[in-house]
Amino acid sequence: MARKGILTTGNATETAQPSRRPSPTAPRGTVGALQSSLTRLQESAVQEIEAERIVDAGVADRLGDDPVADESLQQSLKTYGQQVPVLVRPHAGQPGQFEIVYGRRRVRALRALGLPVKAMVRHLDDHALVLAQGQENTARKDLSFIEKASFAAQLDALDYDRQTIAAALSIDLPMVSRMLRVGRAFDIGFLRHIGSAPGIGRERWLKLEEAMQRPAMADKVEACLPLLAEIADSDTRFEQVLAWASDAPSPLKPRAAAGRARKVVSEAGYEIGKIRHGDKGLVLTVPHGDAPEFARWVDAQAEDIVKDLYDRWIKSRSED
């Protein structure tokens, strides 16, 4: 269970080692200057690339799929088209193929729709790739603590220095050390059973790490992991694993899938809202985040929006 970080491609059944390559060196002389200018022009343009020609690269930054969010993204792309390009680099070992830097979910959604991918192509070495991937993830601000800790551990396993890890996650060096302690304790396969556990912080993960050190406890917990598939909520799955490892009673009331907040995701992959069907009704949450003006706009338009939706619902019933 407690293996050091594993390089993955985002697919739980595959592993891959990104091709190490030196930083590109600009050719010399007049011809070299012309080639460099052409390369810069090409890199500044957005290209359309068949989704099948784009493969995964880098390290795993997600510990589970969100079918609701993925479906929302796919519907957005189908309705409005792709507004924000992904970032790729040419595949060193397979001419005509590209490796994804960021935008994996968009690529998967467009592949499912049979649509080409709008992409920026950059000639990046491995160091620049993980920096770009990490900083894009940090900008989204929706990675959980354990996803960041696992990302850091995977970079550490690939011998990236701590300064690079800190830059990739936009954190300081002491925080890198704290994340690595947790990230190194749990391998990717184990973490995928639990998922992102967005409500679980460092102290709870450290408590689980300590509990798992007891004799034969790791094997006991591993044998129970398939049972987690019956629990819809990732935080509750964590609590169940901690209960097993601590010989404590199981969580009393796992949250059912119907009560989970459904993410509303923009075409660019940013979370712009959550919808939860609770005991007292439907709740829409629009976080201020990086776009407080959007939340204010929704607030100002809320009554008209609800009335419009109600009118559309009445009309849909009359047409049935």
Side-chain angles (χ1 to χ4, degrees):
M1 185 280 301
R3 301 194 300 274
K4 203 171 183 181
I6 301 173
L7 174 67
T8 80
T9 64
N11 184 319
T13 62
E14 298 179 3
T15 58
Q17 183 74 25
S19 53
R20 288 286 181 180
R21 65 183 74 179
S23 300
T25 302
R28 299 178 180 178
T30 303
V31 174
L34 178 58
Q35 290 176 342
S36 296
S37 297
L38 291 173
T39 298
R40 285 194 297 271
L41 284 172
Q42 183 183 35
E43 291 189 344
S44 66
V46 175
Q47 305 179 35
E48 284 199 349
I49 301 172
E50 295 175 0
E52 290 72 19
R53 295 169 59 197
I54 301 176
V55 299
D56 284 328
V59 299
D61 55 3
R62 295 288 182 184
L63 293 176
D65 296 328
D66 187 333
V68 174
D70 289 345
E71 176 64 22
S72 176
L73 175 58
Q74 188 168 321
Q75 288 301 317
S76 175
L77 290 167
K78 184 177 181 179
T79 303
Y80 303 108
Q82 183 186 357
Q83 304 299 316
V84 180
V86 305
L87 181 63
V88 300
R89 72 176 182 182
H91 197 301
Q94 300 179 29
Q97 302 290 306
F98 298 87
E99 294 178 316
I100 188 70
V101 179
Y102 59 72
R104 286 166 170 75
R105 292 182 61 246
R106 274 168 279 169
V107 171
R108 287 202 306 268
L110 290 164
R111 184 181 293 124
L113 292 169
L115 297 174
V117 179
K118 294 178 182 177
M120 297 179 293
V121 180
R122 298 285 186 269
H123 292 267
L124 304 175
D125 60 19
D126 291 331
H127 182 272
L129 183 149
V130 298
L131 285 177
Q133 182 187 4
Q135 290 171 0
E136 169 70 7
N137 289 337
T138 301
R140 289 205 305 266
K141 297 183 179 179
D142 62 345
L143 287 184
S144 66
F145 169 80
I146 193 60
E147 286 176 318
K148 293 178 181 178
S150 177
F151 187 85
Q154 291 176 75
L155 294 184
D156 177 68
L158 292 171
D159 295 326
Y160 285 98
D161 59 54
R162 296 201 174 189
Q163 191 63 54
T164 298
I165 298 172
L169 287 169
S170 299
I171 58 178
D172 58 25
L173 291 175
M175 180 56 73
V176 171
S177 297
R178 291 192 285 270
M179 284 191 169
L180 284 177
R181 176 180 171 182
V182 177
R184 288 168 172 167
F186 307 100
D187 68 38
I188 291 291
F190 178 86
L191 292 176
R192 287 192 187 281
H193 282 284
I194 296 175
S196 61
I200 307 300
R202 176 174 174 267
E203 295 305 317
R204 299 287 283 167
W205 281 102
L206 287 174
K207 185 175 181 179
L208 177 59
E209 177 202 16
E210 182 179 352
M212 294 284 285
Q213 300 306 315
R214 297 162 59 197
M217 186 54 66
D219 290 338
K220 172 187 172 181
V221 172
E222 288 275 2
C224 295
L225 289 179
L227 299 176
L228 295 178
E230 301 176 4
I231 302 176
D233 182 72
S234 180
D235 287 349
T236 306
R237 289 197 294 270
F238 171 88
E239 297 293 353
Q240 178 64 78
V241 172
L242 181 58
W244 286 332
S246 305
D247 290 325
S250 296
L252 296 177
K253 188 179 178 182
R255 281 170 276 178
R260 296 178 64 200
R262 308 196 313 269
K263 292 181 181 179
V264 181
V265 182
S266 72
E267 187 275 330
Y270 296 92
E271 181 182 323
I272 58 176
K274 288 184 178 180
I275 299 173
R276 181 186 295 276
H277 200 155
D279 295 336
K280 297 182 179 181
L282 191 67
V283 178
L284 169 65
T285 302
V286 180
H288 291 289
D290 295 326
E293 61 278 7
F294 174 63
R296 288 194 292 269
W297 182 88
V298 172
D299 184 27
Q301 307 292 326
E303 291 184 13
D304 290 338
I305 292 172
V306 173
K307 289 177 182 177
D308 178 63
L309 289 173
Y310 181 79
D311 290 342
R312 288 164 58 186
W313 174 70
I314 292 294
K315 182 179 179 181
S316 70
R317 293 187 59 175
S318 66
E319 294 174 348
D320 289 342

